[in-house]
């Protein structure tokens, strides 16, 4: 198919779409007042996208990448301002990463068998219209990452973004649509609503034309999509432990852990959330973590921190959302300790059952647990990961220890001798995603995760060997 053919298909379907009357939110492309209208617009846009050759989808994706890089600073500023979480510089890097390393159509693969009985192909086709829930912790990054992967697979996507990050999420929805329209593609490749709620999510979950649900967020939302009766991809919570054994390069381990745990103030779900260290190297690790920029608290300070960042909800300790993604200096000032912004991490020693170690805090706070040996470290790490099977990290030069831990913890991500963000292709090999489907097993999602396999058989012919 040549360019003229492609453009005429796109134009004819766009003209048909324009005759449909829906109530759009006038200021942003793809943002609707009602979820029903958003879904209708997505259904129409999908009719165009599914006919687009891969080459044309890639043209749209290229422009999304370009515009995301151009707007990276704006996204970072908007995100921090609206959610009150994270660090602008790190969010700029996250947007560049998502633009540069999220796989596009190259991820869509065909498998073929040819032989005496002909030619059989398995091709990856679109689900159609996908419903996606996005978090407040990486809001626009997830919208952009999901859109690239989903339209690479020939789908369109309806978002019900986190209400606490609606401005920046819908800014991203607008940007991906502008990117499509600018290169001659359809509007509404991604849609959203102006005021997302649990009710709008429910309309999406139950709509007969939504073929796949993708939830990125905490346990509540993942359970909700998995209970919907629809096919669903669940990218849920983690509590990644990092284990340090006596064979590690301890100074490097300390700096890597510090850098991973403080990136965007510990908002990424993959970030180091607690440290378990073999006793003989614990003092050295703590020394270097302080050298890197951590502030060590002890005794009564630890109790005050726990009372500040955890709250009692119906008899259960849960995180105080006021401190999620905040700077270490801000959190320390709340317990009467004043430091400057060069201090990016709060560390303390505790037992493995301390609530600040057990809970997924998403704050630049690291409890350090000393244990006798690597086997005890692995046992504790498995227990603190809570069976999420999400992410785990280790610093060691002993291949047997690394192998043992990797097998026992059984997580979607296992980073060795590097900061956790190496798992997202930042200083490590491989592609980027902000939807890590630990619960449902896809692992790091990409375009092919959003496709279904279709077998295409030609019997007795087309084998030309
Ligand atoms: P959250 O769970 O508070 O919210 C996520 C989204 O789900 C929001 O849009 C929220 O409105 C919606 N939601 C919550 N309960 C729902 C329900 N019952 N039905 C429909 N929608 C519902 O998450 P958050 O605080 O923004 O993000 C942090 C959590 O997400 C952490 O636990 C983190 O580990 C996890 N996370 C996981 C990944 C991953 O790829 N696995 C990525 C980012 C964040």
């Amino acid at each position: 198919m040549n360019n003229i053919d492609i453009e005429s298909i796109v134009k004819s379907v766009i003209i048909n779409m324009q005759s449909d009357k829906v109530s759009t939110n006038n200021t942003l492309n793809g943002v609707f007042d009602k979820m029903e209208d958003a879904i209708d617009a997505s259904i129409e846009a999908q009719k165009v996208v599914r006919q687009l050759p891969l080459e044309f989808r890639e043209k749209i994706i290229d422009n999304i990448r370009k515009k995301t890089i151009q707007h990276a600073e704006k996204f970072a500023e908007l995100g921090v301002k609206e959610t009150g979480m994270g660090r602008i510089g790190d969010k700029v890097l996250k947007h560049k990463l998502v633009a540069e390393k999220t796989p596009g159509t190259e991820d869509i693969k065909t498998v073929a068998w040819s032989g005496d009985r002909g030619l059989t192909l398995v091709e990856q086709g679109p689900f159609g219209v996908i419903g996606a829930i996005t978090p407040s912790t990486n809001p626009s990054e997830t919208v952009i990452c999901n859109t690239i992967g989903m339209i690479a697979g020939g789908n369109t996507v309806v978002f019900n973004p986190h209400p606490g990050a609606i401005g920046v999420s819908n800014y991203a929805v607008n940007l991906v649509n502008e990117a499509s329209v600018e290169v001659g593609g359809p509007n509404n490749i991604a849609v959203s609503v102006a005021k997302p709620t649990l009710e709008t999510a429910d309309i999406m979950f139950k709509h007969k034309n939504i073929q796949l649900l993708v939830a990125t967020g905490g346990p509540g939302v993942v359970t909700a999509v998995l209970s919907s009766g629809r096919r669903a991809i669940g990218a849920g919570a983690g509590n990644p432990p990092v284990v340090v054994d006596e064979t590690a390069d301890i100074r490097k381990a300390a700096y890597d852990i510090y850098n991973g745990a403080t990136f965007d103030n510990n908002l990424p779900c993959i970030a180091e959330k607690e440290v378990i260290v073999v006793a003989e190297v614990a003092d050295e690790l703590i020394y270097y973590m302080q050298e890197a920029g951590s502030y060590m608290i002890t005794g009564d300070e630890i109790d005050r921190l726990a009372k500040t960042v955890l709250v009692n909800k119906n008899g259960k300790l849960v995180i105080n959302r006021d401190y999620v993604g905040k700077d270490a200096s801000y959190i320390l000032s709340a317990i009467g300790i004043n430091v400057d912004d060069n201090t990016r991490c709060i560390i303390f020693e505790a037992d493995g059952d301390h609530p600040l170690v057990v809970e997924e805090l998403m704050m630049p706070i690291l409890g350090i647990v000393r244990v006798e040996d690597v086997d005890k470290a692995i046992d504790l790490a498995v227990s603190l990961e809570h069976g999420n099977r999400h992410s785990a990290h280790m610093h060691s030069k002993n291949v047997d220890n690394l192998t043992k831990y990797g097998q026992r913890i059984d997580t979607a991500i296992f980073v060795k001798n590097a900061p956790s963000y190496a798992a997202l292709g930042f200083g490590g090999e491989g592609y980027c995603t902000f939807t890590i489907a630990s619960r449902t097993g896809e692992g790091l999602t990409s375009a092919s995760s959003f496709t279904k396999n279709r077998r295409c058989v030609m019997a007795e012919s087309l084998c030309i060997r």
Side-chain angles (χ1 to χ4, degrees), residues 133-138 160-163 198 201 205 216-218 220-221 224 235-238 269 321 360 362 390 434-436:
I133 303 267
T134 51
S136 58
T137 46
N138 318 306
N160 197 70
H162 196 290
L198 289 183
F205 290 175
T216 309
V221 63
C269 53
R321 306 277 320 189
E360 183 201 23
M362 294 180 285
H390 191 299
F434 279 90
T435 295
I436 298 143

